[in-house]
């Protein structure tokens, strides 16, 4: 079982690769350091939320909060 941060990191990596961006390119676009981005993609539990949100914004993604067992749209999984 993966952790929520690992899931977020995997989603960020997939979106970055889908856009054809390298880690240095995304880090520059988001205004974060390369080391931070590498750790975020690896799911390191000490990442800073404000920086993670900047990365998501640079990818055109948003963070949604939903009750466990439900998708962000509200439908049960």
């Amino acid at each position: 079982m993966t952790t929520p941060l690992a899931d977020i990191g995997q989603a960020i990596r997939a979106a970055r690769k889908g856009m054809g961006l390298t880690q240095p390119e995304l880090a520059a676009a988001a205004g974060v350091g390369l080391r931070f981005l590498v750790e975020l993609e690896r799911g390191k539990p000490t990442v800073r939320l404000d920086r993670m949100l900047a990365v998501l914004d640079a990818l055109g993604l948003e963070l949604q909060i939903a009750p466990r067992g439900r998708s962000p749209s509200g439908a049960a999984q």
Side-chain angles (χ1 to χ4, degrees):
M1 181 173 172
T2 61
T3 66
L5 283 177
D7 292 341
I8 292 169
Q10 290 171 3
I12 288 170
R13 179 181 292 118
R16 173 182 59 77
K17 288 185 174 188
M19 295 177 69
L21 295 172
T22 65
Q23 288 177 324
E25 289 170 336
L26 177 55
V32 301
L34 178 58
R35 180 177 175 183
F36 172 81
L37 181 61
V38 168
E39 291 174 350
L40 176 61
E41 286 189 358
R42 289 184 181 158
K44 184 175 179 181
T46 60
V47 298
R48 288 187 40 191
L49 182 60
D50 60 329
R51 290 183 184 170
M52 181 180 66
L53 293 174
V55 171
L56 292 174
D57 185 58
L59 290 168
L61 302 174
E62 65 182 22
L63 181 65
Q64 295 185 3
I65 306 299
R68 288 190 179 119
R70 295 193 173 269
S71 67
S73 66
Q77 293 180 343

